[in-house]
């Protein structure tokens, strides 16, 4: 595809500089602070909102930013060349300099920018081809033309993977499961006996703790279960161990003639040791340009979601992500939700010096979304050196944590309201629930109670309440944003996922980091091998190993 004139304007040389070299940063530090108690009013709630895509809205009325601060953040965006650098990512530049790789997760779902070629292969076509192959495979499984090795149709799928090969796909599956099981709008061709369109139940094995695999294996029927072994590298200890665990369990199954490998497909990169095997029922591929934590829209999420819900639902999810990617190219920060969310986060982290961010979905469907965002954000931007390997002199990625509301309210909100640290909050909510059933009780539905709690929290955090008893005093001035939509459909979910991926990307670019490697996870792996291999190791490590009887 040929680039348009506007796209051509984004090409050219870039300057990479640390945040503290950007003139707007010093100005932001000197800008007058905003008191939420002073500014929060109905007009602000109406005005401080930007549509992202697929009907998802980002409201930042309860964030401590003034017009002046937003103007400076706009300047910061321009000084750090955030949109042109995003364009470079889309165009297939080497944006993971540490590993000398392109960063192409956007290409798994979008049509932005020109084609990306690598070793004469068109990677857009490669990703699309894998998606088509997965769709064809899933349709055959659903139609019963691909059967288990004892001749029974598959009704359950188990993803075996860890980190990016687990968290995103699991969070996405859980987000849609209730909707797809119950909403007749998605019905059609279901074999699961539900009113909706879920085609297969999914389970997940990730931890090397044997109890994880044992628990899942106790809930499934080996004859009707299809396992998806997912490891981009094909070398991850936990995943290879769990593969062996599953194969061993299937081999011991009393079912006559069951062939374990014919109950397993593989998703990996073409260069991984797993790619060479032709023992799996089938294999699907990604490549090194799709980071694990950015792989939900590739074959890593595609195989699971297409099998569980059908290829059409996966395509809708991708369309939502593609819309969010397109929205993220807008240079005006007041019209670009991902960019604005990123820059307000930088303001809170670097100017207000707040060390953490809590993600609080008021939706049980998003129960594992905070866990996915922990990896996405902390593995991407938990760095102390810039993209050239030089130490940075400012804070980078915050600690991310979260739980669905209202459960979190009865757990850690005490600290959020009255603790000595201020933690910026990201609320996520939906007007409607995912299921078909709700109850009117004490003159309101459960869904109304859920959302009443959420908006009450936004106000309580921002406005506080004074009390002569210091123990009952709420200081307020605790900032939050709200991402919301009518319903968490596959498309909205895609947009929500891409919103966060793009937010994290923009923040990494502001901080001048390489957000796409994860060297910080290596040392622990090396020391684990020393312990298991009985190699020479630090005496203290040997002593700890002895404590645990290894
Ligand atoms: O997909 P795999 O190669 O098995 O990798 C699984 C995970 O393990 C690594 O340690 C990384 O920290 C993650 O980014 C990755 O997603």
């Amino acid at each position: 595809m040929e680039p348009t004139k506007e796209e051509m304007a984004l090409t050219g040389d870039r300057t990479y500089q640390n945040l503290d070299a950007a003139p707007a940063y010093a100005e932001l530090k000197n800008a007058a602070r905003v008191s939420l108690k002073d500014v929060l009013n109905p007009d602000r709630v109406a005005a401080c909102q930007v549509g992202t895509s697929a009907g998802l809205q980002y409201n930042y009325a309860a964030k401590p930013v003034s017009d002046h601060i937003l103007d400076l953040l706009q300047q910061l965006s321009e000084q750090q060349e955030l949109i042109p650098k995003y364009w470079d990512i889309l165009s297939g530049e080497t944006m993971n300099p540490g590993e000398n790789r392109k960063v192409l997760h956007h290409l798994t779902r979008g049509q932005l920018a020109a084609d990306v070629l690598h070793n004469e292969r068109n990677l857009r076509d490669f990703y699309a081809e894998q998606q088509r192959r997965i769709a064809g495979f899933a349709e055959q499984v659903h139609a019963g033309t691909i059967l288990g090795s004892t001749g029974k149709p598959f009704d359950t799928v188990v993803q075996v993977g860890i980190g990016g090969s687990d968290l995103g796909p699991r969070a996405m599956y859980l987000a849609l499961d209730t909707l797809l099981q119950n909403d007749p709008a998605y019905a059609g061709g279901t074999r699961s006996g539900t009113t909706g369109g879920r085609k297969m139940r999914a389970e997940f094995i990730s931890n090397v703790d044997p109890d994880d695999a044992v628990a899942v294996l106790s809930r499934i029927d080996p004859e009707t279960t299809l396992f998806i072994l997912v490891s981009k590298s094909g070398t991850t200890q936990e995943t290879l161990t769990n593969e062996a665990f599953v194969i061993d369990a299937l081999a011991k199954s009393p079912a006559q003639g069951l062939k374990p490998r014919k109950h397993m497909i593989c998703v990996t990169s073409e260069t991984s040791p797993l790619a060479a095997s032709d023992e799996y029922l089938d294999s699907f591929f990604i490549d090194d340009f799709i980071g694990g934590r950015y792989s939900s829209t590739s074959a890593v999420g595609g195989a699971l979601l297409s099998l569980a819900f059908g290829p059409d639902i996966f395509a809708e999810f991708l369309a939502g992500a593609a819309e969010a990617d397109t929205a993220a190219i807008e240079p005006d920060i007041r019209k670009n939700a991902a960019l604005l969310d990123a820059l307000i986060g930088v303001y809170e982290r670097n100017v207000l010096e707040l060390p953490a961010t809590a993600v609080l979905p008021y939706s049980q469907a998003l129960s594992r979304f905070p866990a996915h965002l922990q990896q996405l954000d902390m593995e991407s931007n938990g760095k102390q050196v810039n993209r050239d390997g030089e130490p940075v002199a400012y804070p980078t990625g915050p600690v991310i944590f979260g739980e669905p509301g209202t459960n979190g309210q009865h757990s850690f909100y005490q600290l959020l309201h009255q603790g000595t640290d201020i933690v910026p909050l990201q609320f996520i909510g939906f007007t409607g629930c995912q299921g078909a059933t709700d109850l009117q009780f004490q003159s309101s539905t459960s869904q109304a109670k859920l959302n009443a709690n959420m908006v009450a929290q936004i106000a309580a955090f921002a406005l506080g309440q004074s009390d002569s008893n210091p123990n009952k005093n709420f200081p307020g001035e605790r900032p939050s944003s709200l991402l919301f939509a009518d319903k968490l459909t596959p498309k909205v979910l895609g947009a929500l996922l891409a919103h966060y991926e793009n937010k994290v990307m923009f923040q990494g670019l502001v901080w001048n980091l390489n957000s796409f490697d994860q060297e910080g996870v290596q040392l622990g792996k090396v020391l684990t091998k020393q312990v298991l291999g009985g190699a020479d190791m630090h005496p203290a490590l040997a002593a700890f190993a002895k404590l645990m009887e290894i």
Side-chain angles (χ1 to χ4, degrees):
M1 208 188 307
E2 286 301 308
T4 64
K5 232 171 26 187
E6 291 75 30
E7 290 168 355
M8 286 297 282
L10 290 165
T11 58
D13 288 339
R14 309 284 176 240
T15 306
Y16 284 90
Q17 61 178 6
N18 284 357
L19 170 62
D20 45 10
Y25 182 51
E27 288 192 61
L28 278 163
K29 291 205 155 196
N30 292 326
R33 303 283 168 92
V34 171
S35 158
L36 292 173
K37 288 182 197 171
D38 289 349
V39 299
L40 201 52
N41 63 34
D43 291 344
R44 185 174 165 98
V45 174
C48 292
Q49 188 162 304
V50 39
T52 74
S53 40
L56 188 66
Q57 304 284 328
Y58 173 68
N59 189 297
Y60 57 100
K63 284 290 188 187
V65 289
S66 58
D67 264 337
H68 178 54
I69 289 171
L70 289 175
D71 289 344
L72 291 173
L73 290 174
Q74 178 73 49
Q75 288 174 28
L76 182 62
S77 171
E78 286 157 21
Q79 288 162 12
Q80 296 301 75
E81 301 183 314
L82 300 187
I83 297 300
K85 288 172 187 167
Y86 174 35
W87 186 251
D88 286 347
I89 288 178
L90 295 174
S91 308
E93 297 294 322
T94 303
M95 296 298 276
N96 173 353
E99 297 175 312
N100 194 26
R101 290 176 180 168
K102 303 173 192 299
V103 175
L104 294 183
H105 51 276
H106 299 94
L107 198 59
T108 59
R109 67 235 186 176
Q111 296 300 316
L112 289 167
D115 287 346
V116 177
L117 301 179
H118 183 71
N119 293 341
E120 292 178 20
R121 174 190 263 178
N122 182 324
L123 294 179
R124 186 196 305 281
D125 293 348
F126 169 60
Y127 300 140
E129 168 64 11
Q130 295 308 310
Q131 207 182 306
R132 265 195 303 277
R133 289 186 56 233
I134 287 170
F137 179 85
E139 277 160 2
Q140 289 184 67
V141 169
H142 299 151
T145 42
I146 294 179
L147 297 168
S149 58
T150 59
K152 292 192 179 171
F154 290 116
D155 60 11
T156 305
V157 58
V158 179
Q159 176 122 335
V160 182
I162 197 165
S165 297
D166 166 60
L167 289 162
R170 188 197 296 242
M172 300 303 112
Y173 171 80
L174 293 175
L176 296 179
D177 191 32
T178 302
L179 180 73
L180 267 288
Q181 275 193 73
N182 292 298
D183 195 329
Y186 296 96
T190 174
R191 296 178 24 244
S192 56
T194 63
T195 51
R198 186 178 82 176
K199 297 179 190 308
M200 296 171 82
R201 175 173 75 92
E203 297 270 1
F204 302 83
I205 300 175
S206 56
N207 201 342
V208 77
D209 182 338
D211 296 348
D212 192 12
V214 165
V216 172
L217 289 166
S218 74
R219 291 196 291 266
I220 55 109
D221 174 357
E223 287 189 82
T224 59
T225 300
L226 178 66
F227 293 84
I228 315 176
L229 178 74
V230 188
S231 179
K232 175 179 144 180
S233 63
T235 59
T236 302
Q237 181 201 54
E238 293 91 330
T239 302
L240 297 182
T241 305
N242 280 326
E243 178 190 23
F245 214 102
V246 166
I247 297 289
D248 182 63
L250 294 194
K252 289 176 181 154
S253 154
Q256 284 285 313
L258 191 136
K259 297 190 186 68
R261 295 270 173 202
K262 296 303 166 203
H263 286 245
M264 192 174 274
I265 60 172
C266 178
V267 179
T268 190
S269 59
E270 288 171 305
T271 49
S272 103
L274 299 177
S277 170
D278 55 7
E279 289 181 14
Y280 299 106
L281 185 54
D282 211 336
S283 294
F284 303 98
F285 300 104
I286 57 166
D287 62 18
D288 284 343
F289 306 144
I290 310 292
R293 55 196 174 274
Y294 296 92
S295 64
S296 295
T297 52
S298 75
V300 166
L304 174 85
L305 297 173
S306 301
L307 283 160
F309 304 131
D312 291 352
I313 296 296
F314 184 60
E316 260 187 59
F317 167 69
L318 295 186
E323 266 189 39
D325 292 344
T326 307
I329 209 145
E330 163 64 50
D332 181 345
I333 68 164
R334 289 172 170 88
K335 295 183 186 157
N336 181 338
L339 182 59
L340 183 58
D341 194 358
L343 288 162
I344 293 175
V346 168
Y347 176 74
E348 289 170 334
R349 185 78 183 101
N350 296 93
V351 178
L352 304 182
E353 298 180 357
L354 307 177
T357 295
V359 182
L360 308 169
Y362 276 63
S363 166
Q364 196 57 29
L366 291 177
S367 60
R368 289 298 285 168
F369 194 57
H372 169 60
L373 293 188
Q374 280 180 338
Q375 187 199 10
L376 178 68
D377 202 319
M378 293 164 79
E379 207 171 64
S380 296
N381 290 337
K383 314 269 163 80
Q384 53 184 318
V385 296
N386 68 12
R387 70 196 301 279
D388 301 316
E390 294 152 357
V392 294
Y394 44 82
T396 60
V399 173
I400 305 287
F401 69 99
E403 276 292 321
T406 62
N407 295 17
Q409 290 176 206
H410 299 272
S411 160
F412 54 82
Y413 278 35
Q414 164 65 42
L415 181 148
L416 300 182
H417 281 289
Q418 291 185 318
T420 48
D421 279 313
I422 292 182
V423 180
L425 311 166
Q426 302 233 297
F427 289 97
I428 305 172
F430 304 95
T431 347
C433 57
Q434 300 293 80
T437 311
D438 196 354
L439 178 76
Q440 189 90 14
F441 174 67
Q442 293 176 343
S443 66
S444 61
T445 61
S446 294
Q447 182 69 16
K449 289 182 182 75
L450 177 72
N451 284 336
N453 270 280
M454 182 176 72
V455 297
Q457 291 295 335
I458 294 173
F461 281 118
L463 305 173
Q465 191 177 69
S466 18
D467 195 297
S468 53
N469 175 350
N471 205 31
K472 293 182 188 292
N473 191 53
F474 288 79
E477 302 297 351
R478 294 176 183 228
S480 66
S481 60
L482 171 61
L483 271 164
F484 71 101
D486 289 346
K487 204 170 177 88
L488 184 57
T489 61
K491 203 167 181 193
V492 169
L493 182 66
L496 182 69
L497 175 80
H499 172 88
Y500 275 101
E501 289 182 359
N502 292 327
K503 172 191 172 176
V504 167
M505 167 193 73
F506 283 132
Q507 290 192 328
L509 292 171
V510 175
W511 288 319
N512 200 27
L513 304 175
N514 176 7
S515 299
F516 304 106
D517 66 3
Q518 57 285 321
E519 290 302 326
V521 304
Q522 294 308 327
L523 177 59
K525 292 184 188 177
V526 171
L527 298 192
T528 302
K529 278 201 178 138
Q530 288 182 6
V531 172
L532 292 174
D536 266 356
M537 64 188 105
H538 192 287
L541 176 56
F544 278 118
K546 201 164 164 216
L547 280 186
M548 293 308 294
E549 300 176 17
I550 307 163

